[in-house]
Amino acid sequence: MEANKLWRFLVLLTGVAMISLVSWLHLPSLSNKEVLNCNLYSGWCISKNRFYSSARPKEIKNPSSSDHQSEIPQHPLDPLTVQEFNRVRTILSSHPLFKSSSSYTLNSVVLEEPDKKLVQKWRKGDPPLPRKASVVAVVKGVSHVLTVDLEISMVVSHETGSSSGYPIMTMEDMVGVLEVPLKSSEFNRSITKRGVNLADLACLPISSGWYGTPVEENRRLIKVQCYSKEGTVNFYMKPIEGVTALVDMDRKEVVAISDDGQNIPVASGANTDYRYSIQKLNGELRLLNPISLEQPQGPSFSVDGHLVKWANWEFHLRPDPRAGTIVSQVKVRDPDTSKLRNVMYKGFTSELFVPYMDPTEGWYFKTYMDAGEYGFGLQAMPLDPLNDCPRNAYYMDGVFASSDGTPYLQPNMICIFESYAGDIAWRHAECPITGLKVTEVRPKVTLVVRMAAAVANYDYIVDWEFQTDGLIRAKVGLSGILMVKGTTYENMDQVPEKDYLYGTLLSENIIGVIHDHYVTYYLDMDVDGSENSFVKVNIKKEETSSGESPRKSYLKAVKEVAKTEKDAQIRLKLYEPSEFHVVNPLKKTRVGNPVGYKLVPGGTAASLLDPEDPPQKRAAFTNNQIWVTPYNKTEQWAGGSFVYQSKGDDTLQVWSNRDRPIENKDIVLWYTIGFHHIPCQEDYPIMPTVSSSFDLKPVNFFERNPILGVPPNLDEDLPVCKAHDSA
Amino acid sequence: MEANKLWRFLVLLTGVAMISLVSWLHLPSLSNKEVLNCNLYSGWCISKNRFYSSARPKEIKNPSSSDHQSEIPQHPLDPLTVQEFNRVRTILSSHPLFKSSSSYTLNSVVLEEPDKKLVQKWRKGDPPLPRKASVVAVVKGVSHVLTVDLEISMVVSHETGSSSGYPIMTMEDMVGVLEVPLKSSEFNRSITKRGVNLADLACLPISSGWYGTPVEENRRLIKVQCYSKEGTVNFYMKPIEGVTALVDMDRKEVVAISDDGQNIPVASGANTDYRYSIQKLNGELRLLNPISLEQPQGPSFSVDGHLVKWANWEFHLRPDPRAGTIVSQVKVRDPDTSKLRNVMYKGFTSELFVPYMDPTEGWYFKTYMDAGEYGFGLQAMPLDPLNDCPRNAYYMDGVFASSDGTPYLQPNMICIFESYAGDIAWRHAECPITGLKVTEVRPKVTLVVRMAAAVANYDYIVDWEFQTDGLIRAKVGLSGILMVKGTTYENMDQVPEKDYLYGTLLSENIIGVIHDHYVTYYLDMDVDGSENSFVKVNIKKEETSSGESPRKSYLKAVKEVAKTEKDAQIRLKLYEPSEFHVVNPLKKTRVGNPVGYKLVPGGTAASLLDPEDPPQKRAAFTNNQIWVTPYNKTEQWAGGSFVYQSKGDDTLQVWSNRDRPIENKDIVLWYTIGFHHIPCQEDYPIMPTVSSSFDLKPVNFFERNPILGVPPNLDEDLPVCKAHDSA
């Protein structure tokens, strides 16, 4: 087995750079089991040149997921197993492309989903569908896409990328470039000139975007900027402003060093360390008695492999290196027929766009696309039990491939839990006007599926929340640490009227730069079947005719079925409102309404950048809030398959502008949540979470309120609890 | 004592009408204590002609609020006590206005707040500020506003209303009109013609709005429409369509009966009863194991009279018959100085506007203004423990005056509880890119103050939520029962193309009529003092000049201080975004930013009605989402002091159009949450809750994240729980 070859990567955190020394050691043979057991190594452990944190952060009992070695797929959409990853490696190792090349990277190895129609037909107990892997590899600077058939142990398809851009970076790409600038004495001089000891350097790999310059052609470029970690774990608050290295990612060479020569002082970093161990020393702030979500009879959900069942819901859940969390075959049980009904075939965060609003030399390129560039799932570190998720949460691991194809474990990457905030699912109280004595109230309990991806400084908390009334809420929380800019200013009274800071002075020598966040969701709705239509229900002012009514006006709902894609390119307008329905035009309720789900936007923001600005062109999927496309297996990533250094030739906007028919078709709905973020001092040195969400809500999907029959909480339902220390 | 005279109002729920017989009985003398003890009477109990539900719905231990008889005010903003209400009655009884009149109603008796400056100066331990009551009375059709000084036992001010409209209806007004139509044989014929037994009638008092017709002049009018309660407690789903009585509220006379002659059938009402007792018979839907918010060491908040303290927050809370919940003197503790800092002097739901979108005879007038017409607080029935609020909630009673001034109890009207949904206050995890091993996460716990007002069919869940990071969220949930329209149609295939239904066919013979909801908040912000300014931080696209940057554009934050009111009349635009700051221009942070709070809108809707349409003119406060006015004690109710039948001459729009200076002044911020509601079958026969909210969020108010020092949850913090039945 390939996995018997194990490489060890030593990371010495001391030395001239944060990642200073790469050492390849040939280790003795280990069983597969040991490959995945990080506890064999201290600190970070590695399969070949791959990092991950040492085992689970705390003891969590998930018996079903404790041993990934023997896992076999139970469902056609289950992710590749450890054994399957290893078979992919074996198959690839004998393929001419990799045999003949001394250096290559596997940028992505994931399940190639079987045909949607086959998956839809498949039932538990049926023979398993043939398993395939989709592999993206970079060989000598060229991107290859291969399909590996695990049944017949063969590469059955092999193409080279046709659009601009490169595949998602590997973790090894990101880490590997960090030491490169240190080979440059020019770079080192720029650092030391600013009073920073090279031993205190912490550097970040910053995707360089694409700006149409000759230097960008035919090579993978990345920018490296550094910080001082002297005195704080929060090095982000100590930027070494004005120094940027442009690095060739494949050759690991410095292309250029940029130094603005301003020698802006590095901020002191005082009081920026946010760790509790440090706060305890400074005097902790204990505001609250313990509070906990308790379920003495245990949670109400079950997880069988990747199949989650809860209340009236059933869905498939899998971790993905690029999307993070993928929910599939989302079905809800109809209380009238007791049958499961399809709602959504697949939903995930397809792409992110995070443009910073500073056009100057050291900042203009910061226009991140976190899923396609960094891997939203790759950056989802283990969740902290009791804090990231409440008690009784179930934790699902990710099993991903490192750049040589070796599988590794991303433990506790997703959690699943029931939430009860004290909210009300429905209620009515009669009042004395009617003289009836009725008060009926039902508490609202939901199921949350959560992932938290920390793409370097920023933390994205990505929730899928299911309500018993049929509503699905997709929610994004932003926390983590700001990307800040060094400045000579220590107080706003030093700033001349004319000087625009591109942000807010947060502390002495620190500016929080204005930026946006966009998270674009892929929502393959299948409302009671695959053939659906998108209907705008426009809410329009109608004037009454003279003498018709004492009223002059009222609002009228006017339905407009989108025939082609351009009919469904939608910018939200408060004063031209619509509801956005995905209906099954052939399936009607008893009284004749087409069954449907509606998209309900929440608070959001729109990108205002010039559509021809290179970053906006690459992120053209943010040009509208809503899009609808016909289902096409290859159109899943809103910024294109190859986003890194892409030119914007393969975006959702490009596909949608083909203006294909979408009426009564298998359609995909796209929605973008946006945030404008003008930083404020409260975001320093670590940000309180800001959230936004949208809902997918049944609209004439059920015959009536589907949770009419649920009981209220009664005294005898609730637990009897004692404080831990008096137990 | 006046209270020794007790009148009893017998409500017989059988007979020719729901409220069929009014009988006045002189009861023997009872002590004050007994006046408020509803358990002496079965069913509904009454002080004079006043209803309320019999005592607390379940046993709740709130020792401090169990005996309202002996209550004395502890804070200048405490509501009038039982003893004070009784003194007001005594004082009024000797006033010429009431002595000389055989018939009058006290439409409102509430605390007259002392001058803001006096309240701000007052400290616990200081001598109490003089207590006054503000009384609104209708005597012979004329509205009077009186101030009663309880110190000197005198009416110290007496004016008659100068604007159009009438005061809030009393509960007696609302109930008293319901039997009036039955005096009309024409009305009774219309009912029986539709096959409804008069014994099954349930009628509603529907505010008639104002449409500029002569019939509306100089009298209080109301419309009465009826339903059949045959076979269901959910009579709302059995409208008797096409019959409306126009009633003179004071004379209790029918002015006109309108019958459209269409004899639209009354819906069957099958499966509309939502009570659990009925559902149990039909087969309940038990989806979930019990789940509960548990605090074995008890909640972390305290309530001393009306002063609530929790974590870093302190505020005054009082029930109000018109607004529902009023929060005052909201202060947050600065972790750096340990000092309480002012955020908001007063916040409450000032008015609601609920226009239905059907201009036909039986519907055009349905344009409710629930606070000023019906009393948002008057309609807030007792909360259901364990379902309206979780365990460990504290319940606050309302003590209000009935129409003769007798105090009565609205038990458990407001609840206060801590909420934890499993959410995250802030987090950061370092990833392998940086090589640091840090994961710090803090759970988010909030304090919720909740009221649920059921204004006949609709239930409004009104929350004030406080976060430890300084954020205040105001949230409105809509549940309850739709106002529906009868129709001959039983299926959409019967509806001709041309026939517009004004809503959605929800069930056979039932249309859910489209409508909007607007809730307008009064927010007297006092950010670190009373002198504040309103600053729009406009986010504008800025084009870079040629050669300046590889970027073509970026977003720039441009501050614009509102000088006068018209600068602050704001309609939200997704593509012309702004942040909305209330700052104290004279108070700066260490690095020189003015301290502030920002208003962060959530999902909302705007009124699209013609501004000259009479309902929109009366509800002109919904013409913008945001307004800012200079503080003026008389400008608190967005639709005017006297909203009932108002003509729109005393609204927020009228005040704001005076365009007074608002820079560096004591200013009041107004925000309206809106909802468009196109009903769907899931809303039938009772609606799952739909919510929206906005936030007041610190923006450079604190020097840094104010909850940096809070500890994470640790295993030993959490309780040990057992199921109730195994306890």
Side-chain angles (χ1 to χ4, degrees), chain B residues 254-419:
Chain B
V254 170
V255 175
I257 302 291
S258 157
D259 183 342
D260 67 5
Q262 290 186 45
N263 290 341
I264 288 170
V266 174
S268 76
N271 303 316
T272 59
D273 200 322
Y274 52 88
R275 285 175 300 174
Y276 182 54
S277 52
I278 300 294
Q279 301 301 318
K280 264 198 294 199
L281 299 175
N282 297 344
E284 64 168 34
L285 192 66
R286 195 170 282 270
L287 297 168
L288 302 173
N289 290 343
I291 183 167
S292 178
L293 279 167
E294 291 299 325
Q295 297 167 285
Q297 294 174 33
S300 313
F301 63 85
S302 70
V303 185
D304 178 12
H306 292 268
L307 205 64
V308 181
K309 295 183 187 182
W310 174 75
N312 41 356
W313 287 100
E314 234 185 83
F315 57 91
H316 186 274
L317 173 66
R318 73 176 196 266
D320 181 82
R322 182 164 179 175
T325 302
I326 296 179
V327 292
S328 300
Q329 295 202 295
V330 180
K331 298 172 189 182
V332 66
R333 196 172 302 277
D334 193 307
D336 286 339
T337 62
S338 296
K339 285 203 177 129
L340 282 171
R341 295 171 63 189
N342 288 312
V343 176
M344 181 165 72
Y345 184 69
K346 192 174 176 183
F348 60 94
T349 49
S350 173
E351 193 50 273
L352 291 92
F353 177 45
V354 188
Y356 281 73
M357 299 305 173
D358 182 340
T360 62
E361 172 63 18
W363 281 79
Y364 74 87
F365 50 87
K366 294 178 183 174
T367 55
Y368 305 99
M369 291 163 81
D370 289 326
E373 292 179 340
Y374 293 89
F376 212 35
L378 292 181
Q379 311 301 332
M381 291 299 105
L383 294 162
D384 178 33
L386 302 188
N387 289 293
D388 271 321
C389 320
R391 252 191 191 174
N392 290 320
Y394 175 95
Y395 292 83
M396 188 178 277
D397 300 335
V399 180
F400 297 151
S402 59
S403 69
D404 72 341
T406 316
Y408 71 93
L409 194 69
Q410 196 89 300
N412 301 339
M413 178 183 154
I414 298 175
C415 73
I416 307 166
F417 63 90
E418 280 166 290
S419 171

Side-chain angles (χ1 to χ4, degrees), chain A residues 18 44 54 205 233 236 274 276 285 288-292 294 296-300 310 356-357 359 364 386-388 391 419-430 434-438 440-443 450 454 456-457 459 479-480 491-492 500 505 508 541 543 549-553 555-557 575 589-591 593 608 610 612-613 615 625 681-682 684 686-689 700-706 709-710 713 715-724, chain B residues 18 44 54 233 236 274 276 285 288-292 294 296-300 310 356-357 359 364 386-388 391 419-430 434-435 437-438 440-443 450 454 456-457 459 469 479-480 491-492 500 505 508 541 543 549-553 555-557 575 589-591 593 608 610 612-613 615 625 681-682 684 686-689 700-706 709-711 713 716-724:
Chain A
M18 195 177 60
W44 301 91
S54 60
V233 75
Y236 302 100
Y274 52 88
Y276 182 55
L285 193 64
L288 303 173
N289 291 343
I291 183 167
S292 178
E294 291 299 324
Q297 295 175 30
S300 313
W310 174 75
Y356 282 72
M357 300 305 173
Y364 74 88
L386 301 187
N387 289 293
D388 270 322
R391 251 191 194 176
S419 170
Y420 168 59
D423 282 336
I424 297 168
W426 59 260
R427 90 181 299 279
H428 183 59
E430 284 292 327
T434 63
L436 294 170
K437 223 177 141 183
V438 178
E440 293 282 339
V441 190
R442 301 295 178 273
R450 175 169 296 165
N457 55 314
D459 292 49
S479 187
N491 194 293
M492 285 304 291
Y500 177 67
L505 191 69
E508 289 78 2
K541 182 177 76 168
E543 303 278 347
S549 168
R551 283 271 283 275
K552 283 190 196 305
S553 62
L555 303 193
K556 191 170 176 176
Y575 280 88
T589 61
R590 194 184 68 241
V591 296
N593 292 305
L608 308 175
D610 188 313
E612 293 304 313
D613 203 352
Q625 286 76 52
Q681 288 184 234
E682 286 78 4
Y684 174 91
I686 190 163
M687 292 180 288
T689 309
N700 305 315
F701 183 82
F702 296 108
E703 292 291 347
R704 67 186 65 78
N705 180 335
V710 302
N713 271 342
D715 259 323
E716 58 265 31
D717 292 335
L718 301 186
V720 177
C721 301
K722 285 192 273 191
H724 185 279
Chain B
M18 194 178 60
W44 300 93
S54 59
V233 74
Y236 301 101
Y274 52 88
Y276 182 54
L285 192 66
L288 302 173
N289 290 343
I291 183 167
S292 178
E294 291 299 325
Q297 294 174 33
S300 313
W310 174 75
Y356 281 73
M357 299 305 173
Y364 74 87
L386 302 188
N387 289 293
D388 271 321
R391 252 191 191 174
S419 171
Y420 168 59
D423 282 336
I424 297 168
W426 59 259
R427 89 182 298 279
H428 183 59
E430 283 292 328
T434 62
K437 227 179 137 179
V438 178
E440 293 282 339
V441 191
R442 301 296 179 271
R450 174 169 296 165
N457 55 314
D459 291 51
D469 61 4
S479 187
N491 194 293
M492 285 304 291
Y500 178 67
L505 191 68
E508 290 78 2
K541 182 177 75 170
E543 304 278 347
S549 168
R551 282 272 284 274
K552 283 190 196 303
S553 63
L555 303 192
K556 191 169 176 177
Y575 280 87
T589 60
R590 194 185 69 242
V591 296
N593 293 305
L608 308 175
D610 189 312
E612 291 305 313
D613 202 353
Q625 284 76 55
Q681 288 184 232
E682 286 78 4
Y684 173 91
I686 190 162
M687 292 179 289
T689 308
N700 305 314
F701 183 83
F702 296 108
E703 292 291 347
R704 69 185 65 79
N705 179 335
V710 302
N713 270 343
E716 58 265 31
D717 290 337
L718 300 188
V720 178
C721 300
K722 284 192 273 190
H724 185 279

Side-chain angles (χ1 to χ4, degrees), chain A residues 411-458:
Chain A
N412 301 339
M413 177 181 155
I414 298 175
C415 72
I416 306 167
F417 63 89
E418 280 165 290
S419 170
Y420 168 59
D423 282 336
I424 297 168
W426 59 260
R427 90 181 299 279
H428 183 59
E430 284 292 327
C431 68
I433 297 175
T434 63
L436 294 170
K437 223 177 141 183
V438 178
T439 299
E440 293 282 339
V441 190
R442 301 295 178 273
K444 179 184 281 189
V445 180
T446 65
L447 185 80
V448 178
V449 173
R450 175 169 296 165
M451 176 197 79
V455 190
N457 55 314
Y458 250 103

Side-chain angles (χ1 to χ4, degrees), chain B residues 478-552:
Chain B
L478 306 178
S479 187
I481 300 175
L482 286 172
M483 185 143 273
V484 301
K485 182 175 184 170
T487 176
T488 55
Y489 298 125
E490 299 193 333
N491 194 293
M492 285 304 291
D493 61 19
Q494 300 165 339
V495 184
E497 183 98 28
K498 276 193 226 161
D499 196 357
Y500 178 67
L501 299 185
Y502 303 106
T504 309
L505 191 68
L506 299 179
S507 181
E508 290 78 2
N509 307 113
I510 289 291
I511 293 167
V513 175
I514 297 171
H515 57 281
D516 288 349
H517 296 266
Y518 299 97
V519 184
T520 298
Y521 284 78
Y522 173 99
L523 306 161
D524 180 0
M525 302 301 291
D526 272 15
V527 178
D528 252 350
S530 289
E531 266 72 63
N532 287 173
S533 291
F534 179 71
V535 181
K536 283 182 281 186
V537 183
N538 301 317
I539 299 171
K540 289 187 168 171
K541 182 177 75 170
E542 188 86 1
E543 304 278 347
T544 57
S545 48
S546 174
E548 179 189 349
S549 168
R551 282 272 284 274
K552 283 190 196 303

Side-chain angles (χ1 to χ4, degrees), chain A residues 34-89:
Chain A
E34 288 163 308
V35 170
L36 289 167
N37 183 352
C38 261
N39 290 322
L40 286 178
Y41 316 106
S42 65
W44 301 91
C45 76
I46 296 97
S47 61
K48 199 175 168 190
N49 45 354
R50 186 63 181 83
F51 299 56
Y52 52 99
S53 85
S54 60
R56 297 172 189 284
K58 285 176 196 169
E59 194 53 44
I60 295 170
K61 291 171 210 101
N62 281 338
S64 66
S65 67
S66 60
D67 181 8
H68 293 279
Q69 296 303 317
S70 54
E71 234 164 38
I72 52 165
Q74 295 170 42
H75 185 284
L77 297 178
D78 279 0
L80 296 179
T81 63
V82 167
Q83 294 179 9
E84 289 175 328
F85 276 116
N86 285 327
R87 286 189 36 221
V88 170
R89 283 185 76 206

Side-chain angles (χ1 to χ4, degrees), chain A residues 468-479:
Chain A
T468 54
D469 62 3
L471 183 145
I472 304 172
R473 177 162 293 175
K475 188 169 154 191
V476 178
L478 307 178
S479 187

Side-chain angles (χ1 to χ4, degrees), chain B residues 129-379:
Chain B
L129 295 181
R131 298 281 290 176
K132 291 180 188 170
S134 173
V135 176
V136 178
V138 175
V139 186
K140 293 176 190 154
V142 177
S143 307
H144 298 258
V145 182
L146 305 100
T147 301
V148 177
D149 189 320
L150 289 162
E151 206 87 354
I152 55 173
S153 294
M154 268 181 69
V155 172
V156 290
S157 141
H158 177 192
E159 289 173 10
T160 50
S162 58
S163 62
S164 69
Y166 297 101
I168 195 169
M169 286 185 279
T170 64
M171 285 300 293
E172 294 78 1
D173 285 333
M174 298 177 222
V175 173
V177 297
L178 297 181
E179 63 187 271
V180 175
L182 290 156
K183 296 178 191 167
S184 153
S185 54
E186 188 188 344
F187 183 82
N188 292 355
R189 262 198 309 279
S190 291
I191 300 300
T192 48
K193 207 171 54 177
R194 282 166 171 82
V196 176
N197 192 325
L198 292 178
D200 288 328
L201 272 194
C203 303
L204 293 181
I206 300 174
S207 58
S208 56
W210 172 82
Y211 292 89
T213 59
V215 75
E216 295 168 289
E217 293 302 322
N218 300 318
R219 53 176 168 185
R220 291 203 297 157
L221 292 174
I222 193 157
K223 299 212 171 172
V224 177
Q225 292 184 334
C226 299
Y227 300 78
S228 165
K229 63 183 169 67
E230 191 230 326
T232 180
V233 74
N234 193 348
F235 61 85
Y236 301 101
M237 292 303 126
K238 292 171 72 85
I240 301 167
E241 197 59 42
V243 186
T244 306
L246 180 65
V247 172
D248 183 310
M249 215 189 304
D250 291 306
R251 300 187 183 186
K252 305 239 186 313
E253 279 175 7
V254 170
V255 175
I257 302 291
S258 157
D259 183 342
D260 67 5
Q262 290 186 45
N263 290 341
I264 288 170
V266 174
S268 76
N271 303 316
T272 59
D273 200 322
Y274 52 88
R275 285 175 300 174
Y276 182 54
S277 52
I278 300 294
Q279 301 301 318
K280 264 198 294 199
L281 299 175
N282 297 344
E284 64 168 34
L285 192 66
R286 195 170 282 270
L287 297 168
L288 302 173
N289 290 343
I291 183 167
S292 178
L293 279 167
E294 291 299 325
Q295 297 167 285
Q297 294 174 33
S300 313
F301 63 85
S302 70
V303 185
D304 178 12
H306 292 268
L307 205 64
V308 181
K309 295 183 187 182
W310 174 75
N312 41 356
W313 287 100
E314 234 185 83
F315 57 91
H316 186 274
L317 173 66
R318 73 176 196 266
D320 181 82
R322 182 164 179 175
T325 302
I326 296 179
V327 292
S328 300
Q329 295 202 295
V330 180
K331 298 172 189 182
V332 66
R333 196 172 302 277
D334 193 307
D336 286 339
T337 62
S338 296
K339 285 203 177 129
L340 282 171
R341 295 171 63 189
N342 288 312
V343 176
M344 181 165 72
Y345 184 69
K346 192 174 176 183
F348 60 94
T349 49
S350 173
E351 193 50 273
L352 291 92
F353 177 45
V354 188
Y356 281 73
M357 299 305 173
D358 182 340
T360 62
E361 172 63 18
W363 281 79
Y364 74 87
F365 50 87
K366 294 178 183 174
T367 55
Y368 305 99
M369 291 163 81
D370 289 326
E373 292 179 340
Y374 293 89
F376 212 35
L378 292 181
Q379 311 301 332

